Amino acid sequence: MTQNNSNPPITTASAASDHAPVHVIGGGLAGTEAAWQIASRGIPVILHEMRPVRGTHAHQTDGLAELVCSNSFRSDDSQNNAVGVLHAEMRLANSIIMACADKNQVPAGGALAVDRIGFSDAVTEAIDSHPLITVEREPVTTLPPKDWDKTIIATGPLTAAELATSIQQHTDSDALAFFDAIAPIIHTDTIDMDICWFQSRYDKIGPGGTGKDYINCPMDKEQYNAFMDALIEGDSADFKEWEGTPYFDGCLPIEVMAERGRETLRHGPMKPMGLTNSHQPDIKAYAVVQLRQDNSLGTLYNMVGFQTKLKYGAQTGILRMIPGLENAEFARSGGLHRNTYLNSPELLDETFQLKSREGLRFAGQITGCEGYVESAAIGLLTGRFMAAERLGLKIDLPPPTTAFGALSAHITGGHITSTDEPKKRSFQPMNVNLGLFPPLAEEDFPPPPDGLKWRRKEKRIAKKQGLCARALRDCTEWLKNSAV
């Protein structure tokens, strides 16, 4: 884990009496990261996690930082990709989430994917063994009492209904909600490798990978159309209590994508580009279903982009129509849960503090970021801000040119609000992306090779690389000069 001068080493328990504790509600990615950042600066933390006293529809264990959807942290390319830049910035800032992810990675092409059990165990062990962090297994059902002084709410997309109601009553603002779906996981030894083959798209070799990190299941046109028909006609789960709740486009169920157009899946998670069937190299697949390793043993693979709300019985039958999965055994079926988030631009200041209550901050997906890495990154920032405030130091915001700063700016005010309908909320969950970064200044744009003019595609690549390089440079400088 990369060290940085602005991030002091873990202190001993003797420092616990020097400062009043900070309370963190929620033991997910954002909550554990926030707790780690605060405790690493000599401030005691009480981390409240309701599991196992109270479970959720999506969690299966009582481990901290459990990954309930995909096991992928997405691209680890810090030279061309915004989420890869965010990975790198978090490593610079001594992120416990990134440290545990790096230690438990599994092959995934150019992505950083993890053994979900090993990852959760590593985070749980780090938090439990920290001398300044106390974990209290209890549900928090209302806004924290004033005598808690400083609190971070990082309850994520599965915020308890009572707590969500309490937040709504205090802010006099409805929280938006949307459906979030989970992809199925398959036992590897039940996949027919006489039909399927190992290959990363375009043979890309990523961290810990070989260029053969995905299992690919080919479909011809007839098989694809039959599969589409089954999806559209499939028996979907009935969630009447959530009627009217929209889907988030970044996590659409496959049957919803199928309903949007017969070719939608073939140009989305089932696109065949960059893949050659090793069994029949001369025959181009019409569509391809990819499976990604889910644990370090390689005994489980998850279906990439195949989150679903199909009922379990229908799910099994339809997914076994995929060539190579005729006899597949499922370690976990796909599912659906409700996700909630705040209207953060209206309710939170630039340090994620609730405008109507000093000392109360929010972190993670409940703020309106989307994705594991983004949630942890906001937890990291909120932890740093809270630590600076507790220590009586100036809060230094990350520059908007960094991934930290670009994502923060979107959450706390970077969206466009409708002027015609002032009560209509336009703020939507967002993954970090280069479109959130300020444009490159002329001096930051790399010159074309040999003094020639840029071609359009080459210029786009150069622009991406310029934005990424500037972000990492500015983040390094920010961390070096930050008060905490």
Side-chain angles (χ1 to χ4, degrees), residues 381 384-385 388 393-399 478 481-484:
L381 291 174
R384 290 176 67 97
F385 297 158
L393 301 173
K394 176 179 176 290
I395 292 179
D396 294 311
L397 298 175
W478 170 65
N481 297 320
S482 185
V484 296

Side-chain angles (χ1 to χ4, degrees), residues 2-159:
T2 305
Q3 295 293 320
N4 184 279
N5 292 335
S6 67
N7 298 286
I10 297 172
T11 56
T12 62
S14 63
S17 61
D18 295 341
H19 304 285
V22 173
H23 293 261
V24 178
I25 304 173
L29 295 165
T32 52
E33 185 66 70
W36 181 266
Q37 295 292 325
I38 295 166
S40 295
R41 288 158 176 80
I43 302 166
V45 177
I46 300 175
L47 178 62
H48 303 265
E49 168 54 48
M50 69 179 183
R51 293 174 295 121
V53 176
R54 178 186 293 185
T56 73
H57 296 295
H59 289 89
Q60 295 186 331
T61 76
D62 60 3
L64 301 176
E66 179 185 341
L67 306 181
V68 299
C69 191
S70 168
N71 71 323
S72 175
F73 283 48
R74 311 197 318 280
S75 174
D76 202 41
D77 181 357
S78 63
Q79 294 183 318
N80 298 279
N81 188 283
V83 74
V85 173
L86 193 55
H87 289 179
E89 291 184 4
M90 292 175 69
R91 291 182 179 115
L92 288 171
N94 289 345
S95 163
I96 186 63
I97 292 300
M98 288 306 302
C100 292
D102 289 337
K103 290 177 182 176
N104 289 278
Q105 71 175 29
V106 296
L112 172 62
V114 302
D115 178 321
R116 67 179 75 226
I117 299 299
F119 168 77
S120 176
D121 287 348
V123 175
T124 302
E125 182 181 1
I127 295 297
D128 283 344
S129 62
H130 197 296
L132 292 180
I133 300 177
T134 301
V135 180
E136 295 191 356
R137 298 284 185 163
E138 59 180 9
V140 177
T141 57
T142 64
L143 282 182
K146 292 291 181 67
D147 60 7
W148 278 17
D149 182 26
K150 296 194 182 301
T151 304
I152 296 173
I153 296 178
T155 45
L158 301 175
T159 298

Side-chain angles (χ1 to χ4, degrees), residues 30 33 86 90 372-382 404 407:
E33 185 66 70
L86 193 55
M90 292 175 69
Y372 293 148
V373 182
E374 290 86 343
S375 297
I378 299 304
L380 184 152
L381 291 174
T382 309
F404 281 146
L407 183 62

